[in-house]
Amino acid sequence: MSHVPSFPLLFTDDEGETQTLSDPAELDTTLEFVDDFDPEYRCVDAEGQRVRVLVWNLELLALRIVPDDFDATETTISETRRPGGTTEYTESFRGEPLRAVRQDASGVLTAVPSDWRDETTPDAAPEGRLAGLTPEEFNVLWMKARGVKR
């Protein structure tokens, strides 16, 4: 199943103003900052599915279909140590992996997915344990792995 929404999107900001966004370029030029932990927003795609949108400084970072009752503050963050010294932090909602950050032994961070068009879903890591990160801290780490300075 694709996690990429179909256009147009209906985006409603925290003040109740609704915009119709016809394509991804409109998100980059219309929305300056949209984050799960900033003022609330609601976004649905052409099929009525809820969409998670992350935009930072007019750059679309994430665009993904999520459950209708998705709440980023209710995500769980697990930590898995991989061979070779890589640590993977995985964000999940009700057991479904959404995003991940891999940190290699030298400290280099890699975001999964690496781009909003990338339909790569992080591996479910059953051996993972709860990480010492809050959902907000994970979000900052993921954005850092994407090259965003907050």
Side-chain angles (χ1 to χ4, degrees):
M1 175 178 115
S2 174
H3 297 291
V4 177
S6 53
F7 284 85
L9 302 180
L10 289 178
F11 181 89
T12 305
D13 66 21
D14 61 319
E15 295 175 0
E17 186 176 321
T18 300
Q19 302 174 58
T20 300
L21 304 166
S22 302
D23 59 50
E26 275 195 84
L27 282 108
D28 282 336
T29 58
T30 305
L31 305 176
E32 187 173 3
F33 296 100
V34 178
D35 190 313
D36 290 329
F37 304 100
D38 288 335
E40 289 193 29
Y41 69 91
R42 179 92 176 155
C43 186
V44 294
D45 75 354
E47 297 172 20
Q49 301 173 98
R50 179 146 182 214
V51 178
R52 182 185 201 182
V53 179
L54 299 175
V55 177
W56 198 260
N57 200 22
L58 296 171
E59 180 186 354
L60 179 58
L61 301 175
L63 189 67
R64 179 193 167 99
I65 295 169
V66 292
D68 193 54
D69 60 347
F70 174 75
D71 182 343
T73 64
E74 294 179 11
T75 58
T76 55
I77 312 302
S78 62
E79 177 181 343
T80 304
R81 304 242 185 234
R82 304 275 185 207
T86 297
T87 301
E88 184 167 327
Y89 300 97
T90 304
E91 172 194 58
S92 300
F93 184 71
R94 294 195 188 125
E96 181 181 349
L98 301 174
R99 300 183 292 173
V101 174
R102 294 183 182 126
Q103 184 172 18
D104 70 17
S106 64
V108 174
L109 299 173
T110 304
V112 177
S114 60
D115 183 272
W116 72 267
R117 293 177 264 333
D118 180 1
E119 292 193 49
T120 303
T121 300
D123 297 329
E127 72 276 12
R129 59 182 174 83
L130 286 179
L133 296 173
T134 65
E136 294 91 343
E137 290 167 333
F138 172 83
N139 191 54
V140 169
L141 186 66
W142 185 83
M143 291 180 101
K144 183 178 177 183
R146 288 291 317 271
V148 172
K149 292 183 176 48
R150 294 187 64 167

